Amino acid sequence: MTYVIHGVFSFLASAMFGVIFNSPRKRLLHCGFVGAVGWLVFLASRDLLLEGDAVKASFLGAFAVAVVAHLFSKWYRTPMIIFSVAGIIPLVPGGTAYNTMRNVMEKSYDAATVYAMEVLMISGSIAMGLVFAEVIIQMIFKKKSTEK
Amino acid sequence: MDDAREEMGIDACLLAGRLMMEAGAETYRVDDTMTRMAATLDMEGADSFTTSTGIIFSPGGHRRVKLTSIRKRATDLEKIARVNAISRSLTSKEMTLEQAYAELKKVERGNFMFPFWLQVLAAAVASASFLILFGGDWENMPFAFVAGGIGFAISEKFHERTRVKFFSEFTGSAVIGLISLATVSAGLGSQLDIIVIASVMPLVPGLLITNAIRDLMAGHFMAGISKGAEAFLTAFAIGSGIALILSLQGVGM
């Protein structure tokens, strides 16, 4: 049940981000779909596979976003960025960044450093997920086109 | 190719590049689009140097090198898609140079953004959705809805007026902090932290972050670093806006 609720709301959030980023109107639902897939992969892998490790889960989430976005971009012949940007938004470690800042405000720098490191690690793993997925997909497509 | 047509070809390449950069495309894609277009237009040895503040385009041979500066940057995925479609049909010879140039001019003049009220509504709905994703309670949803919508509207309007990005984002997030703090201290909502985080999400520079990384990985270090700096500045503005309000909390609000 939690997953259904999360699926619906991550879909909604990503599609709304499609509006803010002015995606082509016909592609809004696809943006939402990409976002929902990314978030559900993140959530499921964090809670079921990785015992709450948000860093590795972010990698998997971003990887899923990039794969789906890439397939859509091949399918509709539009730049991949249109699908991936809105999809990546739910994975951005907003909460952890907020906690960093809040701890700095309260002058508890020890706690702030821990949160800051986590923000850095999560953003890095999102980046790695995006890039890895892209490289792997490109390798697959290249192989296919040389076989033909 | 006569001179006027050649000039038009160079202008078309540059215009396509500028429109894409202004709309927030990745730098390597802009470079790629321009060189493809140039190859179709028989400019051998064409090359370009793209940063997030300007493009230098050399059509090769003894033709003149031209540059264009990029003064405004926004996120407009529709524009990227349109320019991409035009360059595709030019390179596949479905469109002549004249047609493509006219189309690009149309894109330059056109405004494809969603109406402002719809964007604000979208920001509000997105904030309310994020509240649930971040583990907030259902009864706090209306507050994230209101704070997210108003914060986004104020940030956009300030940006229109002042043209200083840092300031508009600072004001937007400060207003979000104020609304959230007011609702929580009035006893209407609980979970101050989650309301703030969810409402701030529409201001997050998502496109900049992803593009900065992609450009760095593609070897466009100049563009990657400058986009990263812009993203960091935005994040810092949001953070300090919220921090200002939270520091009021200690004073006894």
Side-chain angles (χ1 to χ4, degrees), chain B residues 41-99:
Chain B
L41 299 170
D42 298 321
M43 298 179 196
E44 299 91 22
D47 209 347
S48 61
F49 179 71
T50 313
T51 70
S52 49
T53 49
I55 303 172
I56 304 172
F57 178 70
S58 155
H62 54 269
R63 304 178 193 95
R64 287 191 299 142
V65 172
K66 273 195 166 183
L67 71 84
T68 181
S69 60
I70 293 149
R71 295 212 173 75
K72 49 173 188 194
R73 280 176 295 280
T75 306
D76 189 345
L77 298 177
E78 168 86 39
K79 221 175 219 176
I80 299 178
R82 284 193 189 216
V83 176
N84 188 62
I86 295 171
S87 97
R88 255 177 207 276
S89 39
L90 179 71
T91 41
S92 63
K93 313 262 183 201
E94 282 163 28
M95 236 185 219
T96 64
L97 172 60
E98 286 76 12
Q99 281 171 330

Side-chain angles (χ1 to χ4, degrees), chain B:
Chain B
M1 224 197 227
D2 58 275
D3 275 358
R5 204 181 134 78
E6 200 172 280
E7 196 73 26
M8 184 188 263
I10 299 171
D11 282 345
C13 289
L14 264 180
L15 183 59
R18 180 161 67 84
L19 288 176
M20 287 180 90
M21 266 331 258
E22 281 175 355
E26 311 101 303
T27 313
Y28 73 85
R29 180 182 300 284
V30 175
D31 261 353
D32 190 53
T33 306
M34 291 197 324
T35 7
R36 267 170 209 258
M37 282 173 71
T40 326
L41 299 170
D42 298 321
M43 298 179 196
E44 299 91 22
D47 209 347
S48 61
F49 179 71
T50 313
T51 70
S52 49
T53 49
I55 303 172
I56 304 172
F57 178 70
S58 155
H62 54 269
R63 304 178 193 95
R64 287 191 299 142
V65 172
K66 273 195 166 183
L67 71 84
T68 181
S69 60
I70 293 149
R71 295 212 173 75
K72 49 173 188 194
R73 280 176 295 280
T75 306
D76 189 345
L77 298 177
E78 168 86 39
K79 221 175 219 176
I80 299 178
R82 284 193 189 216
V83 176
N84 188 62
I86 295 171
S87 97
R88 255 177 207 276
S89 39
L90 179 71
T91 41
S92 63
K93 313 262 183 201
E94 282 163 28
M95 236 185 219
T96 64
L97 172 60
E98 286 76 12
Q99 281 171 330
Y101 191 61
E103 285 294 311
L104 284 171
K105 278 278 173 202
K106 237 187 253 169
V107 173
E108 188 191 18
R109 280 191 304 267
N111 179 17
F112 314 110
M113 297 300 271
F114 284 96
F116 185 65
W117 63 267
L118 196 61
Q119 286 186 43
V120 172
L121 185 69
V125 174
S127 298
S129 312
F130 275 119
L131 185 92
I132 301 301
L133 294 185
F134 294 152
D137 291 335
W138 294 96
E139 64 259 26
N140 290 325
M141 253 175 112
F143 310 121
F145 184 87
V146 172
I150 294 179
F152 179 80
I154 284 185
S155 162
E156 289 288 300
K157 279 289 159 204
F158 262 77
H159 186 230
E160 251 172 48
R161 287 274 166 80
T162 60
R163 293 273 147 214
V164 184
K165 249 187 119 205
F166 186 88
F167 185 68
S168 60
E169 278 137 6
F170 177 84
T171 324
S173 69
V175 169
I176 288 171
L178 207 59
I179 294 175
S180 319
L181 191 58
T183 48
V184 172
S185 28
L188 293 167
S190 50
Q191 300 176 314
L192 174 66
D193 296 345
I194 295 181
I195 297 178
V196 171
I197 299 165
S199 320
V200 146
M201 286 306 273
L203 301 178
V204 167
L207 184 80
L208 280 172
I209 298 170
T210 34
N211 269 355
I213 299 157
R214 300 268 306 261
D215 279 342
L216 283 177
M217 298 283 176
H220 278 282
F221 296 112
M222 294 270 279
I225 297 278
S226 54
K227 277 181 191 169
E230 200 175 346
F232 176 77
L233 209 60
T234 309
F236 186 69
I238 297 172
S240 38
I242 296 291
L244 178 79
I245 301 302
L246 288 185
S247 65
L248 292 178
Q249 196 184 20
V251 192
M253 235 188 94

Side-chain angles (χ1 to χ4, degrees), chain A residues 9-68:
Chain A
F9 280 104
S10 55
F11 181 91
L12 203 59
S14 302
M16 288 301 125
F17 260 92
V19 175
I20 296 174
F21 291 153
N22 197 34
S23 295
R25 291 169 179 47
K26 278 183 262 168
R27 303 283 170 258
L28 285 178
L29 293 180
H30 302 90
C31 288
F33 180 74
V34 172
V37 168
W39 179 257
L40 287 178
V41 167
F42 166 78
L43 202 69
S45 58
R46 187 189 66 185
D47 296 344
L48 304 177
L49 274 172
L50 300 163
E51 293 149 5
D53 186 350
V55 178
K56 287 176 197 141
S58 300
F59 174 84
L60 292 177
F63 194 90
V65 166
V67 168
V68 180

Side-chain angles (χ1 to χ4, degrees), chain A residues 25-131:
Chain A
R25 291 169 179 47
K26 278 183 262 168
R27 303 283 170 258
L28 285 178
L29 293 180
H30 302 90
C31 288
F33 180 74
V34 172
V37 168
W39 179 257
L40 287 178
V41 167
F42 166 78
L43 202 69
S45 58
R46 187 189 66 185
D47 296 344
L48 304 177
L49 274 172
L50 300 163
E51 293 149 5
D53 186 350
V55 178
K56 287 176 197 141
S58 300
F59 174 84
L60 292 177
F63 194 90
V65 166
V67 168
V68 180
H70 217 96
L71 294 178
F72 275 150
S73 83
K74 291 268 174 211
W75 189 264
Y76 294 106
R77 297 181 150 262
T78 43
M80 172 193 172
I81 189 174
I82 285 169
F83 303 108
S84 62
V85 171
I88 219 76
I89 291 285
L91 300 175
V92 171
T96 327
Y98 173 84
N99 282 328
T100 309
M101 195 221 36
R102 181 148 202 171
N103 277 295
V104 170
M105 287 301 300
E106 286 161 358
K107 296 208 171 61
S108 39
Y109 296 120
D110 287 0
T113 321
V114 174
Y115 281 121
M117 277 315 293
E118 207 182 324
V119 171
L120 209 65
M121 293 289 286
I122 292 177
S123 348
S125 63
I126 293 176
M128 274 173 65
L130 282 178
V131 173

